[in-house]
Amino acid sequence: MIHYVVHEDGDSVGTIVVEGVKSGETLTGWVMEQDKMVSLPTINEIPIGHKIALRDLNKDDTVIKYGVDIGRVVAPIKAGEHLHVHNVKTKRW
């Protein structure tokens, strides 16, 4: 079962595509551009459509999704942690 999708190698986040992701589960992800499978344990519950960090991210790091900059980390994020508006902000304003 695929739990999250990643658009390409180098992205720092994947998008959860199933309901009910719980803390401590090991999830399977699909990297679409390279057509490969990866796995990652979760740190917390993550709702469908939200992002999971694929690697540790420090404050002020850039978040990469689809190979492009989608925001700035405002609080440290560990690999496997829920990534959303509480720890990432847009750079647009």
Side-chain angles (χ1 to χ4, degrees):
M1 170 188 272
I2 295 171
H3 301 99
Y4 65 95
V5 295
V6 179
H7 290 273
E8 59 190 64
D9 278 341
D11 284 356
S12 53
V13 299
T15 302
I16 300 294
V17 295
V18 297
E19 297 276 357
V21 169
K22 303 291 184 210
S23 175
E25 291 182 312
T26 296
L27 305 182
T28 300
W30 176 43
V31 182
M32 295 186 290
E33 188 171 292
Q34 286 76 23
D35 192 23
K36 70 177 182 179
M37 304 303 280
V38 292
S39 64
L40 182 68
T42 61
I43 291 177
N44 43 19
E45 294 183 7
I46 307 173
I48 189 171
H50 287 223
K51 294 170 214 48
I52 186 170
L54 303 178
R55 58 181 174 83
D56 290 349
L57 298 166
N58 298 309
K59 186 173 188 272
D60 295 324
D61 281 354
T62 295
V63 178
I64 303 296
K65 182 178 175 187
Y66 315 114
V68 299
D69 176 342
I70 65 162
R72 178 179 58 85
V73 175
V74 296
I77 306 166
K78 299 247 185 246
E81 191 172 352
H82 183 202
L83 189 143
H84 199 54
V85 298
H86 64 285
N87 52 19
V88 173
K89 301 294 181 202
T90 183
K91 293 179 181 176
R92 292 183 185 176
W93 53 83

